Amino acid sequence: MTVWDPEAVDLDALPVLGIETSCDETAAAVVVGGRRVRSSVVSSQVDIHARYGGVVPEVASRAHVELLTPVIAQSLVEAGLADREVGAVAATYGPGLVGALLVGVATAKALALVWDVPFVAVNHLEAHLHAALLDDPDVELPVVVLLVSGGHTLLVAMDAPGSYEVLGGTLDDAAGEAFDKVARYLGLAYPGGPAIDAAATEGDPEAIAFPRAMIDEGLDLSFSGLKTAVINHVRRHPDVATVDVAASFQAAVVDVLMVKALRAAEQTGAKGLCLGGGVAANSLLRAEAVRRGEAAGLRVSLPSPAMCTDNAAMVAAAGWHRLVTDGPSPLDTGAVPGLSL
Amino acid sequence: MLILGIESATAQVGCAVGGHEGVLASAHSSRSRRHAESLTPSIEFVCRQARIELAELGAVAVDVGPGLFTGLRVGVATAKAVAQALRVPVIPISSLDLLAYPIRFTDRLIAAVIDARRGELFSALYRSVPGGVQRITEPRVSTPDDLRAELQAQSGDLLLVGDGAVRYRDDFRSLVRAEVVTHGLTAPSARDLVLLAHHQALREEWVQPWDVTPTYLRKPDAEISWATRDGVAGPRSGPDGRSGPG
Ligand SMILES: [Zn+2]
């Protein structure tokens, strides 16, 4: 590549093409200057995986190969951008499913090579943190971000874009994983998050007192005991109303998440609380974050559901920041499935 | 027309660039399972060696398998992206065709055999024709035993080529009129890919990047990423994965 010279580039006007293929969404987006979303195209594979009741890695990888070319083309068209106007190409290189990640990384590196622009490798978790800032540019730092998805449950302190500290996380299942597994056990649809959310609106959240693991200590979380408690309860009470189980389970998860998030905010002196990740689309979690967060004097940022779930706009935004601070990533970058924040 | 060839369907990864004058430059590496890391830099390298700009390419050729899924996808994704960015077509070529092509100067029947792992083989049969080889059976996946039975039924002498033939050569030893090619030609090469693709380009046998799909020959393992290791996900009931107390 031509040598990257940030002095010679109008960074604020730089359009970054973002690519996201770490799990079951094939996504591409154009974000200008790390802030202005020009397009964000997401082709969800949820329907493909629904018949298996979970994400099947090989199925996901095959779908990415098929979908990524048209998704990228559409993101450029929607952004009104000619190929040669792309200023950099950013792609998620971890964490995620290795075969799925490699499709996005290989594609991004090849595009960057041909267009002679920087390639930027992006940490998927860092991208999720940027999602909160993209939807709410007035966020006052420092904030605590509660990142909850099918793969991750993290509490992160963010002092500046690019400067994070992981405060706590799940010791076993991710919150979204617990939703999927409980939904599956209850015979609800996949994915489990929206299914439980919908069922819970009809149920009594106080019908069953499910355990709140480790609620009095620290900032780490655990959900596998809760999942087991749900299953044991249903086994012992086969006639229990599914909607009550869903509502009580959801209340327990949200309660623990909120207690930990507020404790993290208090310990770090954060001014605000941001939600991120697919579970941040959960209606009870959103309502409780506003209610309890504001009661604690925090400014609460709720990204739109489309920005909570996996998308490439957050990858492009995180990529722009990485490019500005660290410069381009090498073209021999591979996937790092176990990458942490 | 200048063609970039990308080959990463087996344990090797390679690329080459060439056209009517033949292959101008090529690179191969055998750092197995690290396809993603080395492929893009290799493309940059061969273009520099051949003293051509990427923008001069008229088509991208790619080995579309069958082969090892992860490497195969890296090659196909890279080829599609290069072609998409250059707005040029893709010439998809089978890994088995690539194995048979360099040993075309024979009157024996050629069996191209790729190690599909898990005790299976990808294979197809070829015969020589003027200027190349002609595939006479559909590519398939089978056990070494099944393939041996298939080959046994063939009349005439046989040449077996590919890493699958080498790995299972003891299984094929009982075939009386068969020989396994063990030196030099056991993996598909990016050079042959460019040469074969050039023939196709003359006939405009190419597709648009979004129409390129790998040849898998195997259904995906339906294994969910958070495997139900502790059995707490409830009893499975039927292929839709739904379960529970109902
Ligand atoms: Zn995610």
Side-chain angles (χ1 to χ4, degrees), chain A residues 22 124 128 149 152 277 310 314:
Chain A
S22 65
H124 181 80
H128 269 300
S149 71
H152 313 281
D310 288 352
M314 65 185 195

Side-chain angles (χ1 to χ4, degrees), chain A residues 17 42 100 118 120 154 175 180 186 236 244 291 307 328:
Chain A
L17 171 67
V42 180
V120 193
L154 283 178
D180 279 343
L186 295 176
R236 259 185 258 111
D244 286 342
R291 192 178 68 82
M307 197 55 85

Side-chain angles (χ1 to χ4, degrees), chain A:
Chain A
M1 196 196 76
T2 320
V3 178
W4 167 246
D5 177 11
E7 304 288 315
V9 178
D10 181 0
L11 291 170
D12 190 54
L14 189 80
V16 177
L17 171 67
I19 293 173
E20 159 61 39
T21 63
S22 65
C23 189
D24 61 345
E25 317 280 9
T26 312
V30 175
V31 176
V32 174
R35 287 181 291 121
R36 298 182 296 280
V37 181
R38 287 268 209 96
S39 67
S40 181
V41 180
V42 180
S43 177
S44 178
Q45 303 174 12
V46 163
D47 292 347
I48 303 174
H49 296 282
R51 54 184 288 251
Y52 302 100
V55 177
V56 181
E58 177 61 22
V59 171
S61 301
R62 291 185 182 192
H64 287 308
V65 173
E66 208 169 299
L67 296 167
L68 190 53
T69 313
V71 164
I72 289 171
Q74 196 186 335
S75 74
L76 293 174
V77 169
E78 284 184 16
L81 209 66
D83 292 6
R84 294 286 169 176
E85 294 172 319
V86 172
V89 185
T92 301
Y93 78 114
L97 306 168
V98 64
L101 289 164
L102 280 172
V103 175
V105 170
T107 300
K109 293 195 302 182
L111 293 174
L113 176 69
V114 174
W115 289 333
D116 195 21
V117 297
F119 160 72
V120 193
V122 170
N123 181 321
H124 181 80
L125 299 172
E126 183 173 329
H128 269 300
L129 300 181
H130 277 275
L133 302 181
L134 266 180
D135 256 15
D136 186 358
D138 303 324
V139 167
E140 246 187 279
L141 301 173
V143 292
V144 162
V145 185
L146 172 61
L147 183 53
V148 270
S149 71
H152 313 281
T153 302
L154 283 178
L155 275 165
V156 182
M158 174 157 50
D159 303 323
S163 164
Y164 327 102
E165 188 193 347
V166 177
L167 303 168
T170 182
L171 302 177
D172 38 58
D173 291 356
E177 190 180 347
F179 271 93
D180 279 343
K181 287 180 174 176
V182 166
R184 181 172 160 143
Y185 186 74
L186 295 176
L188 299 171
Y190 172 85
I196 286 185
D197 200 344
T201 57
E202 324 254 305
D204 176 3
E206 287 168 20
I208 310 151
F210 284 128
R212 269 77 166 153
M214 307 165 55
I215 197 153
D216 295 322
E217 11 161 338
L219 297 173
D220 285 329
L221 302 106
S222 164
F223 291 107
S224 76
L226 172 59
K227 180 187 64 194
T228 309
V230 170
I231 287 157
N232 288 340
H233 185 90
V234 173
R235 280 200 185 128
R236 259 185 258 111
H237 309 88
D239 300 329
V240 69
T242 298
V243 291
D244 286 342
V245 178
S248 301
F249 161 77
Q250 178 177 273
V253 173
V254 169
D255 192 22
V256 176
L257 289 174
M258 286 315 305
V259 166
K260 301 275 177 175
L262 295 182
R263 184 175 295 148
E266 194 187 312
Q267 284 181 10
T268 57
K271 293 179 183 157
L273 170 66
C274 298
L275 298 190
V279 179
N282 178 276
S283 61
L284 181 68
L285 181 60
R286 294 173 84 85
E288 286 296 287
V290 171
R291 192 178 68 82
R292 298 198 210 180
E294 287 179 355
L298 296 169
R299 190 175 179 286
V300 179
S301 302
L302 302 178
S304 62
M307 197 55 85
C308 291
T309 47
D310 288 352
N311 65 83
M314 65 185 195
V315 176
W320 183 90
H321 280 97
R322 273 288 147 228
L323 181 63
V324 170
T325 50
D326 301 344
S329 308
L331 285 181
D332 63 357
T333 301
V336 184
L339 189 67
S340 57
L341 197 60

